[in-house]
């Protein structure tokens, strides 16, 4: 009889441990899917933030010149000239003098062109490609 009681207790402990392991695995899988999904959507959100800044009415940018690597912009609101360019792994906005504002991070490649608006073609380090036409 004593063996029977030990056997039942052992099966109960095995069942509880199995349940804990299964719940833990479920939590890890759910967390991993959430992290991967958020990383992909963060790139898209950050790209649209970049577009919102360059199209913002508080600057009312006008395109002065465009090359594949850089854009020269003029703001009649601030009466200043700005440069939009890829620098290292970011797209930044600089003034004529010191300092810059990081508009987009984790940029692998970026090309600018102009055809009825400023065209930004961006590839992020995660492999995602984004394209925007900003009509100033």
């Amino acid at each position: 009889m004593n063996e029977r009681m030990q056997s039942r207790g052992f099966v109960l402990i095995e069942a509880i441990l199995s349940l804990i392991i299964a719940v833990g695995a479920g939590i890890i899988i759910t967390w991993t899917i959430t992290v991967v999904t958020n990383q992909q959507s963060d790139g898209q959100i950050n790209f649209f933030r970049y577009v919102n800044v360059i199209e913002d009415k508080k600057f009312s940018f006008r395109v002065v010149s465009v090359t594949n690597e850089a854009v020269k912009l003029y703001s009649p609101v601030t009466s200043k000239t700005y440069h939009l360019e890829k620098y290292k792994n970011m797209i930044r906005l600089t003034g004529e003098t010191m300092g810059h504002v990081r508009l987009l991070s984790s940029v692998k490649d970026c090309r600018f062109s102009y055809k009825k608006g400023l065209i930004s073609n961006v590839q992020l380090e995660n492999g995602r490609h984004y394209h925007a036409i900003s009509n100033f």
Side-chain angles (χ1 to χ4, degrees):
M1 177 122 171
N2 197 15
E3 273 183 40
R4 221 179 197 178
M5 294 296 279
Q6 287 178 346
S7 177
R8 285 185 181 173
F10 187 69
V11 172
L12 181 61
I13 291 172
E14 283 180 334
I16 291 172
L17 285 175
S18 297
L19 185 62
I20 290 171
I21 291 169
V23 169
I27 290 170
I28 290 170
I29 290 170
T30 303
W31 175 77
T32 303
I33 290 170
T34 303
V35 167
V36 169
T37 303
N38 285 342
Q39 285 178 347
Q40 291 174 353
S41 64
D42 283 350
Q44 185 174 14
I45 291 168
N46 290 336
F47 179 76
F48 285 112
R49 285 183 185 154
Y50 150 76
V51 172
N52 282 337
V53 169
I54 63 174
E55 293 179 349
D56 197 337
K57 297 290 184 204
K58 73 178 182 181
F59 292 109
S60 297
F61 285 128
R62 303 287 179 255
V63 176
V64 175
S65 65
V66 178
T67 66
N68 280 338
E69 294 81 29
V71 179
K72 190 173 186 180
L73 301 166
Y74 176 75
S75 171
V77 175
T78 62
S79 300
K80 294 182 180 179
T81 302
Y82 297 88
H83 299 276
L84 182 67
E85 63 185 351
K86 180 182 180 294
Y87 176 75
K88 295 186 180 178
N89 69 335
M90 69 174 135
I91 295 177
R92 69 180 184 174
L93 184 66
T94 62
E96 288 292 320
T97 58
M98 300 170 40
H100 72 262
V101 175
R102 180 188 302 247
L103 298 182
L104 186 60
S105 298
S106 302
V107 176
K108 182 177 181 181
D109 190 35
C110 179
R111 298 284 174 221
F112 299 106
S113 59
Y114 189 85
K115 193 179 280 186
K116 295 185 181 181
L118 177 64
I119 302 170
S120 301
N121 289 302
V122 176
Q123 179 184 7
L124 298 183
E125 291 173 347
N126 65 8
R128 297 269 181 174
H129 293 265
Y130 297 100
H131 175 84
I133 301 174
S134 301
N135 296 315
F136 299 125

